[in-house]
Amino acid sequence: MASSSDPLNEELQCSICLDVFTDPVTTPCGHNFCRTCLNKCWTNTQTCCCPLCKEKFSNHLDLEINTTLRKLVQHFKKVDQEKSEVFCDFCDERKQKAMKSCLTCQSSYCETHLEPHHRVPRLKKHKLINAVKNLEDYICQKHERPLELFCRDDQTCVCLSCTEGDHRNHNTVPIEEESQQKKSELLKMMEEQQKAAEKQAEDLIKELQQEITDLKRNTEEEKSGSVELFTDLIRPIERRQSELLKMMEEQQKAAEKQAEDLIKELQQEITDLKRRNTELEQLSHTDDHLHLLQVYSSLYSLSHTKNWIEISTDSDVDVFTLKRALTLLKEQLNEKLSQTGLKWAQKFAVDATLDPDTANPYLILSNDGKQVSEGDIKQDIPENPKRFDVGLCVLAMEGFSSGRFYYEVQVKGKTEWDLGVARESINRKGLFRLNPVNGFWTVGLRNDNQYIACENPSVSLSLKVKPEKVGVFVDYEEGLVSFYDVGSRSHIYSFTGQTFTDKLYSYFSPGHNDEGKNSNPLIITPVS
């Protein structure tokens, strides 16, 4: 076989067994493999796919042998075998294959020319080995004698003449003896490595099994927690729904009773009108003028009836009351959702620490890397590519390129600050604007009471209370950055639908000192 560095050899190698092809087959995607190797790969699999490019094929794929490639492989093997064959040094015409090489004569012999070494007493003493092409490797280059001994002091093969010179008094043994010992050591080492590999595999299996168990337990806990959280969310909705339905039913009953009472009153009014109408009809035909005048006044006053157009029932539900109840329910639900979101986000808390190599020279960091504020004097610190030279900010030491993370920062007593995350490749030299286009996802405070989300353009935020501690949550895969008021457990703002490609770092800017008005530091606090 050709050497591994031979380009032709690499092209004729199966990528599964790493040997020259045996019965090569070609997949529809154009890759070649040994037929046996490919069938082993496809054993007990639901779908067949290429081991190299992973392209999927039909489950009933039956590949034919690539006869052209097989012929090429056979020719290659034949040429490679011919290259590795050793020929007799004494054949005159057609060279015969050598059977043995003589280290004393430093020649190789076919079966015919080897015969004297089996017959002549002097030649019988010569050192014969299986025919080799690189015979010079078995000969001492200094004394031109066979390398028959191994020097354990210098760990090298030597001849007898070497033991009388440079290797005098060295611990030398026959090569065969050292070879056997090395074989024993190699077998022992292989056995130990196999045992170590088996133990490592067993430990890994146990570890994976434990991880599966922990994952199942954590999943059940998460499911239980989610059910509990959603139950807490649904319960006030159901209670409000019951209250609203009860109120509507009571208003409906009241309206029905009012309508029934009015119907009775109206029916009585109709009866009275009919009676008075009959009396008036009779009076209009009387000839007793004195009697008519005497009773006219009383009958006229009775003829005025209620204005029924102005009378109505309260049949409609009190819209204002209903709207107010729904608004209150919405506020309570939003508050509950914010609390639930914060509680869930806090599960992904990380221990953030400020990176002094990124801090602006005017910033002062605490020894534990948890506090930052602006100082009045520029500090004498070394310049480096990571450091902000104009922006009054600092990043955390830990970066994240996947998953979720959360941290909390105390902003109590400050009149200006910015918090959030920034991508690793942001511009750290000169001025820059805080917005997602430039790689910043932050919210901030200006002039003691103006809260903004640093979008492009910025968004003004209306907060009911002034946060004393702000929580920042990031879901890398979802492209989400959310901010919470930890004290009131309410949601402040979220950047959604973002695409993150760089590593993200927590971002902190304590703002200018403002003659002591904004001297309080930003403090990274433990998540409780």
Side-chain angles (χ1 to χ4, degrees):
M1 187 180 295
S3 65
S4 59
S5 60
D6 190 337
L8 180 60
N9 183 39
E10 294 178 359
E11 291 297 326
L12 298 180
Q13 274 186 354
C14 171
S15 59
I16 299 175
C17 66
L18 302 180
D19 206 344
V20 177
F21 290 120
T22 303
D23 292 336
V25 294
T26 305
T27 59
C29 58
H31 293 117
N32 301 306
F33 306 94
C34 297
R35 187 171 189 174
T36 303
C37 295
L38 193 59
N39 287 335
K40 287 181 179 179
C41 284
W42 289 351
T43 302
N44 300 325
T45 56
Q46 298 294 329
T47 57
C48 300
C49 67
C50 175
L52 277 178
C53 67
K54 305 305 180 184
E55 181 177 340
K56 294 182 179 180
F57 314 120
S58 168
N59 291 345
H60 305 289
L61 195 63
D62 188 15
L63 300 177
E64 299 293 334
I65 294 175
N66 188 331
T67 55
T68 303
L69 183 58
R70 182 170 63 177
K71 289 179 181 178
L72 181 62
V73 170
Q74 290 172 346
H75 176 71
F76 168 77
K77 286 182 177 179
K78 183 178 179 182
V79 171
D80 194 47
Q81 185 176 5
E82 290 175 354
K83 286 182 180 179
S84 62
E85 286 183 350
V86 180
F87 294 97
C88 179
D89 293 328
F90 295 90
C91 290
D92 293 330
E93 297 179 358
R94 185 181 178 185
K95 292 284 187 180
Q96 297 295 320
K97 183 178 179 181
M99 302 299 294
K100 294 288 183 178
S101 294
C102 178
L103 296 180
T104 307
C105 302
Q106 299 185 28
S107 301
S108 298
Y109 301 92
C110 65
E111 190 172 2
T112 301
H113 290 105
L114 184 64
E115 188 272 335
H117 278 76
H118 296 308
R119 177 173 49 83
V120 178
R122 181 177 58 83
L123 296 179
K124 283 183 179 182
K125 297 178 181 179
H126 287 190
K127 180 77 171 181
L128 296 177
I129 61 173
N130 291 330
V132 293
K133 200 161 191 175
N134 53 334
L135 191 57
E136 63 275 6
D137 293 344
Y138 294 79
I139 305 298
C140 176
Q141 298 301 312
K142 184 176 181 179
H143 302 107
E144 296 186 355
R145 297 186 64 179
L147 296 171
E148 300 177 289
L149 301 172
F150 182 80
C151 177
R152 288 178 173 174
D153 293 343
D154 296 332
Q155 292 292 301
T156 185
C157 295
V158 297
C159 68
L160 285 172
S161 297
C162 292
T163 61
E164 298 173 359
D166 296 340
H167 297 271
R168 185 190 300 271
N169 299 325
H170 284 193
N171 182 14
T172 56
V173 295
I175 284 181
E176 292 81 359
E177 179 182 336
E178 184 67 20
S179 176
Q180 287 299 121
Q181 182 174 334
K182 287 289 192 289
K183 283 183 180 179
S184 299
E185 292 176 359
L186 184 62
L187 290 173
K188 184 179 179 182
M189 181 179 67
M190 291 174 61
E191 184 179 352
E192 291 175 352
Q193 288 181 345
Q194 183 176 356
K195 289 181 179 179
E198 289 176 355
K199 185 179 185 305
Q200 186 177 8
E202 290 174 358
D203 293 342
L204 183 58
I205 290 172
K206 291 179 181 178
E207 184 178 343
L208 291 173
Q209 289 174 339
Q210 184 60 44
E211 287 183 1
I212 293 173
T213 302
D214 294 342
L215 179 61
K216 288 181 178 179
R217 185 181 67 254
N218 292 337
T219 302
E220 289 301 321
E221 292 177 356
E222 287 289 336
K223 287 167 63 178
S224 176
S226 298
V227 171
E228 182 181 347
L229 289 174
F230 278 99
T231 301
D232 291 342
L233 288 173
I234 293 170
R235 189 178 292 114
I237 296 175
E238 292 177 339
R239 184 172 65 251
R240 284 295 180 183
Q241 182 187 33
S242 176
E243 292 172 356
L244 286 174
L245 291 176
K246 183 178 180 181
M247 180 185 70
M248 292 169 70
E249 289 175 358
E250 290 176 351
Q251 289 183 343
Q252 180 184 351
K253 289 178 181 179
E256 288 176 355
K257 185 177 184 305
Q258 183 182 8
E260 289 173 356
D261 293 343
L262 288 173
I263 289 172
K264 290 179 181 179
E265 189 176 348
L266 186 57
Q267 289 174 341
Q268 183 61 44
E269 183 72 20
I270 292 172
T271 301
D272 294 342
L273 284 173
K274 287 181 179 180
R275 180 178 54 77
R276 286 197 295 274
N277 190 52
T278 301
E279 292 177 353
L280 289 171
E281 180 67 25
Q282 293 175 354
L283 188 61
S284 66
H285 295 291
T286 183
D287 293 330
D288 189 345
H289 304 296
L290 179 61
H291 177 68
L292 186 146
L293 293 173
Q294 289 177 339
V295 300
Y296 176 80
S297 297
S298 60
L299 290 174
Y300 179 79
S301 61
L302 292 173
S303 66
H304 292 283
T305 61
K306 290 183 180 180
N307 185 0
W308 295 99
I309 297 176
E310 296 177 356
I311 299 175
S312 64
T313 64
D314 297 330
S315 57
D316 294 332
V317 176
D318 189 338
V319 177
F320 176 77
T321 303
L322 179 59
K323 183 177 180 181
R324 182 179 178 186
L326 289 174
T327 301
L328 179 61
L329 176 60
K330 181 180 178 182
E331 291 176 353
Q332 292 177 344
L333 181 59
N334 287 337
E335 181 181 354
K336 193 69 175 178
L337 283 170
S338 296
Q339 294 177 359
T340 303
L342 177 59
K343 183 177 181 182
W344 180 77
Q346 287 175 326
K347 292 183 179 181
F348 303 96
V350 297
D351 184 17
T353 304
L354 301 173
D355 183 1
D357 290 340
T358 66
N360 181 284
Y362 281 92
L363 293 182
I364 300 174
L365 275 59
S366 61
N367 293 333
D368 62 357
K370 300 298 183 182
Q371 301 185 28
V372 57
S373 59
E374 189 206 16
D376 297 326
I377 302 173
K378 184 177 181 180
Q379 300 181 71
D380 184 16
I381 51 179
E383 173 56 31
N384 67 74
K386 294 169 59 178
R387 190 178 305 285
F388 293 95
D389 61 349
V390 176
L392 201 63
C393 50
V394 60
L395 300 181
M397 298 181 68
E398 304 83 3
F400 299 87
S401 56
S402 64
R404 308 180 181 104
F405 65 95
Y406 172 86
Y407 67 95
E408 292 179 355
V409 181
Q410 181 177 304
V411 296
K412 183 178 180 181
K414 296 191 64 63
T415 61
E416 181 183 347
W417 51 261
D418 287 285
L419 292 173
V421 292
R423 66 181 178 220
E424 186 174 25
S425 60
I426 52 173
N427 179 26
R428 308 188 187 199
K429 307 302 178 183
L431 295 174
F432 51 79
R433 292 183 63 85
L434 294 176
N435 57 51
V437 176
N438 294 333
F440 299 88
W441 292 267
T442 63
V443 297
L445 171 64
R446 305 288 183 269
N447 302 321
D448 193 34
N449 59 4
Q450 297 176 7
Y451 293 93
I452 60 170
C454 298
E455 290 271 17
N456 191 20
S458 61
V459 177
S460 179
L461 304 177
S462 178
L463 306 183
K464 293 182 178 180
V465 295
K466 189 173 184 178
E468 294 186 353
K469 186 183 293 184
V470 175
V472 183
F473 170 72
V474 178
D475 189 326
Y476 194 97
E477 283 73 20
E478 289 295 324
L480 173 68
V481 183
S482 293
F483 299 84
Y484 295 91
D485 178 354
V486 179
S488 64
R489 304 192 69 77
S490 60
H491 175 254
I492 296 176
Y493 189 78
S494 286
F495 294 88
T496 60
Q498 306 298 307
T499 301
F500 302 132
T501 54
D502 285 11
K503 186 176 287 189
L504 296 180
Y505 290 84
S506 302
Y507 174 90
F508 309 83
S509 176
H512 291 284
N513 185 286
D514 194 17
E515 298 180 350
K517 296 178 183 178
N518 190 39
S519 60
N520 283 10
L522 289 176
I523 304 174
I524 302 173
T525 59
V527 178
S528 59

